[in-house]
């Protein structure tokens, strides 16, 4: 049985693992395809470089991709200008789409498109060396932090915490990571001294994990500031005993910060956590971002908030929105615009309410952008079980003897596993040349040259 998995992040790799480790259908062979020449998805391009423990999950994913019945084909694009889903399905008995949620949600407020206002996703991609940034990005290398003394991060989830932390990190703390050299230099010279992280609801409803939250308080020469009066607007802040354990721990951390005295000397940076503020406009200052206007909100007693008509402006020269991800349509697959997902039944793709034989989904494009990395494991297993239940029917259809031949005949030029290992060696060599550990290659030409045995032309 030949199966293609589109996407090499955790959901895709866990799907491949579920298929090759089961015993119901013998000799299942899985090709993991990715648009990028590098595997691991958001583990490589979404986890902050200073989170080395989480990034070490790559070792577990590597074990699956090195399985004797799993192959990695990077640099293979599925879409209207490349390989269509219909043509791909003709090469395999089944195709599982694990393409994630590739775009971010917008605020929908005036001024959101001013220079200096962008998504946290763009900032993360920049410091994570995603190769599309060098293709699609505009402006000088320091475009994110040039002239920025105060930054406003809208959102109170883990991504918001990540970008706030990275803005406050010193160069010495980032030097041992795999952050690209350009981003390291820019952040080392960053003038950012204040970061505001702002949520429209209260501290008891914030979506960051306690571990991530506590990290903010451990940053060298950085003070975390919370306003006790603002925290007290949340009824659950006074008595958090009824909250889920994670939310209760978050409240306890913030209560500790609220009770702490001011430091004896002024810190180099401050991170201010703000709550019950809803953005209503990004402010214009001579054609660039000058801050954000917020409306004060209050709990409505039903888990939401209501506006009060009172406004507050927070000055800032950089605005990063971190208000959630959203799936995007893949030409040739059905798509639910409202949910931002592919319609499915237990992972089986539905076309006009009817199961489409041989087509499946797993991960965020299946369930929406929810959960942590580990949430993808049961999600992938459910889809794999559906596929295995359908195997007797799927195997009735004849496919090419080796799909790799069909992929190349269709115009694909896959980067196979040896090519990825060559990229790893090139990144290690790049790091050595800079007196660092392994350093990511941030651009398409450099990655493809490395995959073919060459080294990148530049140290960016």
């Amino acid at each position: 049985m030949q199966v293609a998995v589109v996407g090499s992040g955790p959901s895709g790799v866990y799907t491949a693992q579920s298929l090759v480790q089961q015993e119901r259908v013998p000799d299942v062979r899985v090709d993991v395809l990715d648009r990028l020449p590098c595997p691991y998805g958001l583990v490589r391009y979404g986890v902050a470089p200073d989170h080395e423990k989480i990034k070490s999950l790559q070792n577990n994913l590597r074990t699956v991709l090195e399985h004797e019945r799993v192959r990695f084909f990077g640099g293979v694009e599925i879409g209207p200008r490349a390989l269509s889903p219909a043509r791909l399905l003709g090469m395999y008995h089944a195709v599982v789409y694990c393409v994630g949620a590739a775009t971010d949600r917008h605020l929908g407020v005036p001024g959101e498109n001013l220079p200096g206002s962008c998504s946290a996703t763009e900032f993360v991609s920049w410091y994570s060396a995603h190769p599309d940034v060098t293709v699609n990005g505009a402006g000088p290398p320091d475009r994110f932090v040039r002239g920025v003394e105060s930054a406003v991060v809208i959102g109170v989830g883990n991504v918001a915490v990540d970008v706030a932390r990275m803005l406050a990190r010193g160069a010495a703390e980032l030097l041992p990571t795999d952050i690209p050299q350009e981003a390291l230099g820019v952040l080392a010279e960053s003038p950012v001294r204040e970061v505001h992280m702002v949520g429209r609801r209260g501290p008891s409803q914030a979506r960051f994990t306690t571990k991530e939250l506590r990290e903010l308080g451990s940053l060298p020469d950085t003070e975390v500031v919370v306003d006790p009066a603002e925290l007290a607007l949340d009824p659950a802040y006074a008595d958090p005993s009824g909250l889920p354990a994670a939310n209760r721990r978050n409240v306890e951390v913030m209560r500790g910060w609220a009770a702490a005295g001011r430091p004896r000397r002024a810190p180099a940076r401050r991170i201010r956590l703000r709550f019950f503020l809803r953005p209503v406009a990004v402010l214009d200052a001579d054609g660039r971002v000058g801050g954000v206007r917020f409306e004060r909100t209050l709990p409505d007693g039903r888990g939401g908030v209501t506006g009060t008509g009172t406004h507050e402006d927070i000055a800032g020269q950089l605005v990063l929105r971190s208000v959630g991800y959203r799936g995007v349509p893949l030409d040739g697959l059905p798509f639910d615009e409202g949910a931002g997902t592919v319609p499915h039944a237990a992972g089986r793709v539905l076309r006009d309410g009817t199961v489409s034989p041989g087509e499946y989904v797993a991960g965020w494009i299946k369930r929406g952008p929810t959960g942590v990395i580990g949430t993808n494991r049961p999600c992938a297993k459910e889809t794999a079980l559906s596929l295995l239940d359908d195997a007797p029917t799927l195997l009735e259809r004849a496919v090419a003897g080796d799909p790799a031949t069909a992929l190349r005949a269709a115009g694909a030029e896959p980067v196979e596993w040896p090519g990825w290992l060559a990229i790893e060696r090139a990144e290690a060599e790049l790091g050595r040349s800079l007196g660092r550990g392994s350093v990511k290659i941030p651009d398409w030409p450099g990655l493809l040259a490395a995959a073919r045995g060459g080294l990148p032309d530049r140290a960016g």
Side-chain angles (χ1 to χ4, degrees):
M1 187 175 189
Q2 304 277 9
V3 179
V5 171
V6 181
S8 65
S11 62
V13 176
Y14 291 152
T15 299
Q17 183 179 39
S18 295
L19 290 171
V20 297
Q21 288 186 347
Q22 55 79 41
E23 298 179 354
R24 290 170 51 191
V25 180
D27 201 32
V28 175
R29 296 179 180 272
V30 181
D31 290 345
V32 178
L33 316 181
D34 203 292
R35 184 179 68 85
L36 298 175
C38 308
Y40 310 136
L42 283 179
V43 177
R44 176 175 167 91
Y45 288 118
V47 175
D50 60 339
H51 273 181
E52 295 181 3
K53 184 174 181 180
I54 301 176
K55 291 175 75 68
S56 68
L57 176 64
Q58 292 182 12
N59 296 328
N60 297 336
L61 303 181
R62 173 191 293 270
T63 300
V64 179
L65 293 174
E66 289 181 335
H67 190 281
E68 62 182 357
R69 286 185 280 117
V70 176
R71 297 186 296 188
F72 172 72
F73 291 141
V76 178
E77 185 165 5
I78 311 300
R81 295 179 302 277
L83 194 61
S84 71
R87 190 167 184 183
L88 183 64
L89 185 59
M91 302 174 186
Y92 293 89
H93 293 107
V95 179
V96 187
Y97 291 93
C98 305
V99 292
T103 191
D104 62 281
R105 296 184 182 276
H106 289 253
L107 299 174
V109 302
E112 185 173 10
N113 294 322
L114 282 169
S117 171
C118 59
S119 70
T121 305
E122 292 176 76
F123 186 53
V124 170
S125 294
W126 171 71
Y127 67 61
S128 296
H130 195 295
D132 283 351
V133 171
T134 57
V135 174
N136 302 327
D142 63 348
R143 60 189 176 277
F144 288 105
V145 298
R146 183 176 47 160
V148 175
E149 294 186 357
S150 175
V152 182
V153 180
I154 300 175
V156 284
N158 278 347
V159 175
V161 174
D162 276 354
V163 298
R165 191 184 66 253
M166 289 294 292
L167 285 167
R169 278 284 191 205
E173 303 153 58
L174 293 173
L175 188 64
T177 74
D178 64 0
I179 188 172
Q181 189 71 6
E182 176 192 278
L184 175 67
V186 168
L187 292 176
E189 300 297 325
S190 167
V192 175
R193 295 294 174 263
E194 196 157 57
V195 181
H196 305 263
M197 192 165 68
V198 188
R200 64 184 176 87
R201 297 194 294 177
S204 71
Q205 297 167 307
R207 294 184 177 274
F208 39 63
T209 56
T210 308
K211 180 180 180 296
E212 296 265 356
L213 180 64
R214 285 186 177 130
E215 276 188 281
L216 297 179
S218 65
L219 295 174
D221 208 12
T222 301
E223 178 189 16
V224 180
V225 179
V226 292
D227 183 348
E230 195 168 69
L231 299 178
L233 296 174
D234 187 341
Y237 180 76
D239 180 14
S241 59
L243 293 173
N247 302 72
R248 186 171 64 250
R249 288 192 295 267
N250 287 342
V251 167
E252 290 168 355
V253 171
M254 285 182 271
R255 182 179 282 116
W257 286 336
R262 300 302 297 271
R264 294 182 179 179
R265 64 179 183 85
R269 292 167 293 272
R270 285 192 176 91
I271 298 175
R272 298 183 182 273
L273 270 62
R274 304 295 308 275
F275 297 97
F276 292 114
L277 292 171
R278 176 168 58 200
V280 295
V282 176
L283 303 176
D284 188 324
D286 299 323
R288 285 188 55 85
V289 163
V292 182
R293 177 158 296 159
F294 291 93
E295 180 185 16
R296 169 66 67 192
T297 62
L298 290 174
D300 63 6
R302 300 183 300 275
V305 292
T306 183
T308 65
T310 302
H311 295 89
E312 175 183 345
D313 293 351
I314 297 180
Q317 301 79 43
L318 172 67
V319 175
L320 297 173
R321 65 178 182 272
S322 180
V323 291
Y325 294 94
R326 179 177 171 79
V328 296
L330 181 62
D331 192 59
L333 281 184
F335 190 73
D336 182 335
E337 287 286 353
T341 58
V342 171
H344 72 94
R348 297 177 178 92
V349 171
L350 298 176
R351 293 181 180 272
D352 298 322
T354 302
V355 169
S356 177
E359 293 186 307
Y360 302 84
V361 284
W364 280 2
I365 198 63
K366 170 187 174 185
R367 68 179 191 275
T370 60
V372 294
I373 290 175
T375 312
N376 290 293
R377 192 180 290 276
C379 173
K381 185 175 181 180
E382 179 191 54
T383 295
L385 289 174
S386 292
L387 191 158
L388 294 169
D389 287 342
D390 300 341
T393 301
L394 299 175
L395 284 165
E396 292 175 358
R397 186 167 56 85
V399 299
D402 184 358
T405 303
L407 286 171
R408 293 188 178 90
E413 298 180 9
V415 174
E416 299 186 49
W417 193 249
W420 160 241
L421 296 181
I423 291 173
E424 283 192 315
R425 290 193 297 271
E427 292 185 336
E429 177 59 33
L430 175 59
R432 282 192 292 271
S433 72
L434 297 168
R436 298 174 55 194
S438 182
V439 172
K440 284 182 180 174
I441 297 170
D443 59 273
W444 277 97
L447 289 169
L448 294 176
R452 290 166 174 77
L455 291 176
D457 295 330
R458 56 192 179 88

